[in-house]
Amino acid sequence: QKEVEQNSGPLSVPEGAIASLNCTYSDRGSQSFFWYRQYSGKSPELIMFIYSNGDKEDGRFTAQLNKASQYVSLLIRDSQPSDSATYLCAVKGGGADGLTFGKGTHLIIQP
Amino acid sequence: EPEVTQTPSHQVTQMGQEVILRCVPISNHLYFYWYRQILGQKVEFLVSFYNNEISEKSEIFDDQFSVERPDGSNFTLKIRSTKLEDSAMYFCASSEHFAFTGSNEQFFGPGTRLTVL
């Protein structure tokens, strides 16, 4: 049974600070790792993906992957109130595998 | 920017009735997926579809479910005899072909809220 674990939060961060979101996964065969943002009542919106160990930066977002520790993280720099949402970690094997999602971390950016 | 579309946005049905949820994936994408999210719970994979056949399916995707690509643009999910516990948001997603592009990111549609009474 593939599992993806996230702290459900809420995680409260002051505006302008760095928000740090974490995720662990159980399946060592996982090949692709994704962070989605989901606003209440809306669909998941892809914000970052990472395939290789290390860091990947895209604007204010940095994804970090450590396959040995089965750990994925997302850093959001200069957090804005509009970043307040639930952040979903998802992992995938190869081919046409579906995504396995965590339950998400509820992030609140306090003005 | 291309996007996945889904219809209807909200479907209300009686228990035991058949429903068909429709999706139009992004036009150059070759992999198609259905997920569901029961209120307050995590997003769950149902099925993936490639080259006009099911590639993978989860334990949730039992004989009550079927998928079809009836033409070059639509991708449908049918639930034959709905149960109360089928009430959920159903999301369609699509992705490019990894072997061609090195990319397998999945892009989600806005979802169909299914309410079974």
Side-chain angles (χ1 to χ4, degrees), chain A residues 71-91:
Chain A
Y71 176 87
V72 195
S73 67
L74 179 70
L75 300 177
I76 307 174
R77 289 180 297 282
D78 188 23
S79 298
Q80 303 296 310
S82 58
D83 294 328
S84 298
T86 297
Y87 287 79
L88 309 178
C89 175
V91 304

Side-chain angles (χ1 to χ4, degrees), chain B:
Chain B
E1 184 171 326
E3 58 183 20
V4 178
T5 59
Q6 291 185 243
T7 54
S9 57
H10 191 190
Q11 175 88 49
V12 181
T13 189
Q14 295 289 326
M15 190 169 55
Q17 295 297 305
E18 174 183 286
V19 295
I20 297 175
L21 310 182
R22 291 182 168 79
C23 167
V24 178
I26 294 171
S27 63
N28 64 333
H29 285 187
L30 299 178
Y31 287 92
F32 314 122
Y33 306 84
W34 283 101
Y35 294 83
R36 79 171 185 191
Q37 187 175 30
I38 295 170
L39 187 63
Q41 298 188 23
K42 64 181 178 180
V43 178
E44 299 174 291
F45 167 69
L46 294 178
V47 66
S48 61
F49 191 87
Y50 170 70
N51 199 26
N52 283 319
E53 61 183 22
I54 290 174
S55 296
E56 300 283 343
K57 59 182 180 178
S58 72
E59 294 174 350
I60 303 169
F61 194 87
D62 61 21
D63 292 344
Q64 292 298 313
F65 292 90
S66 62
V67 289
E68 189 179 32
R69 187 154 165 84
D71 54 44
S73 59
N74 289 285
F75 179 51
T76 63
L77 174 69
K78 181 192 293 186
I79 309 175
R80 287 188 183 79
S81 178
T82 50
K83 307 181 188 70
L84 295 176
E85 54 265 36
D86 293 328
S87 294
M89 279 289 277
Y90 287 81
F91 297 112
C92 174
S94 69
S95 68
E96 294 180 301
H97 193 303
F98 183 82
F100 297 160
T101 65
S103 158
N104 64 351
E105 300 92 83
Q106 294 181 26
F107 297 91
F108 282 68
T112 293
R113 180 170 299 284
L114 176 65
T115 302
V116 182
L117 302 176

Side-chain angles (χ1 to χ4, degrees), chain A residues 94-108:
Chain A
D97 278 12
L99 296 169
T100 300
F101 281 87
K103 291 184 179 179
T105 298
H106 184 202
L107 176 65
I108 300 170

Side-chain angles (χ1 to χ4, degrees), chain A residues 4-92:
Chain A
V4 176
E5 299 291 338
Q6 296 181 256
N7 188 324
S8 61
L11 174 65
S12 186
V13 173
E15 183 176 357
I18 296 174
S20 178
L21 305 162
N22 304 311
C23 166
T24 58
Y25 60 94
S26 64
D27 183 7
R28 287 197 172 272
S30 300
Q31 298 181 16
S32 308
F33 307 87
F34 305 88
W35 284 98
Y36 286 83
R37 178 173 62 198
Q38 187 175 33
Y39 295 111
S40 181
K42 302 295 186 181
S43 62
E45 175 192 1
L46 181 66
I47 52 172
M48 284 291 291
F49 59 91
I50 187 166
Y51 302 146
S52 304
N53 275 330
D55 294 1
K56 179 182 178 183
E57 186 174 320
D58 184 2
R60 295 188 296 115
F61 299 96
T62 299
Q64 300 173 315
L65 173 62
N66 183 326
K67 288 186 179 181
S69 301
Q70 295 174 243
Y71 176 87
V72 195
S73 67
L74 179 70
L75 300 177
I76 307 174
R77 289 180 297 282
D78 188 23
S79 298
Q80 303 296 310
S82 58
D83 294 328
S84 298
T86 297
Y87 287 79
L88 309 178
C89 175
V91 304
K92 181 181 181 297

